[in-house]
Amino acid sequence: QAQLVESGGDLVQPGGSLRLSCTASGFSSDYYAIGWFRQAPGKEREWVSCISSSGGFTNNADSVKGRFAISRDKAKNTIYLQMNSLKPEDTAIYYCAADAVWGHYCSDDAGTYDYWGQGTQVTVSL
C-alpha cells in the first residue's frame, strides 16, 4: 500500500528554522515528482515547493523563495523541506504528495498528485 508520512513539524519562533521530512513506503518515490503543500486555518490549500523525479528540477512559490529549499535522498526514499527565516504566516499543516511524472518537471497543481500524506503541523509564534 502506497503511503507518504510527514514528520518534523513543531512550534518555532519567528526567524527560526525547521526541516520537514516526507518518507515514502509501499512504492519507489524515485519515479515520482514530490510536492509540498500547506493549509492554514480558514484558508485554501496552497502549493509551496516541488522537486522532479530526477531531482534536477525544483520550484518554489514566490512566498517562500529564498527561504525554503526542497531536496530528496533516493537511498532513503525521503524528501526534505528545509524552512529558514520562518514567519508567522508560514503557520499551517504541511502535506507532501507524489505525482507519477518522470523527468525534469514538477507541478504546482494539487490535482495532478496521486498520493498524499496526513500532514504535519508547523506553528510559527513567539
Side-chain angles (χ1 to χ4, degrees), residues 10-18 86 122-126:
D10 205 346
L11 170 64
V12 63
Q13 292 186 355
S17 297
L18 281 176
L86 283 161
V122 172
T123 303
V124 185
S125 179
L126 292 171

Side-chain angles (χ1 to χ4, degrees), residues 83-103:
M83 307 188 296
N84 299 324
S85 302
L86 283 161
K87 304 175 181 180
E89 51 263 44
D90 294 318
T91 295
I93 299 174
Y94 284 70
Y95 301 89
C96 66
D99 179 11
V101 60
W102 174 253

Side-chain angles (χ1 to χ4, degrees), residues 36-104:
W36 283 97
F37 295 79
R38 67 186 181 185
Q39 187 165 21
K43 294 188 177 181
E44 293 187 355
R45 180 175 51 190
E46 65 170 337
W47 168 73
V48 175
S49 184
C50 67
I51 186 166
S52 64
S53 58
S54 68
F57 175 80
T58 63
N59 197 13
N60 295 294
D62 288 344
S63 59
V64 305
K65 276 182 180 175
R67 300 189 298 122
F68 290 13
I70 189 171
S71 61
R72 64 193 305 162
D73 184 335
K74 291 194 172 186
K76 295 182 178 179
N77 220 14
T78 298
I79 297 85
Y80 303 100
L81 184 68
Q82 178 66 43
M83 307 188 296
N84 299 324
S85 302
L86 283 161
K87 304 175 181 180
E89 51 263 44
D90 294 318
T91 295
I93 299 174
Y94 284 70
Y95 301 89
C96 66
D99 179 11
V101 60
W102 174 253
H104 296 287

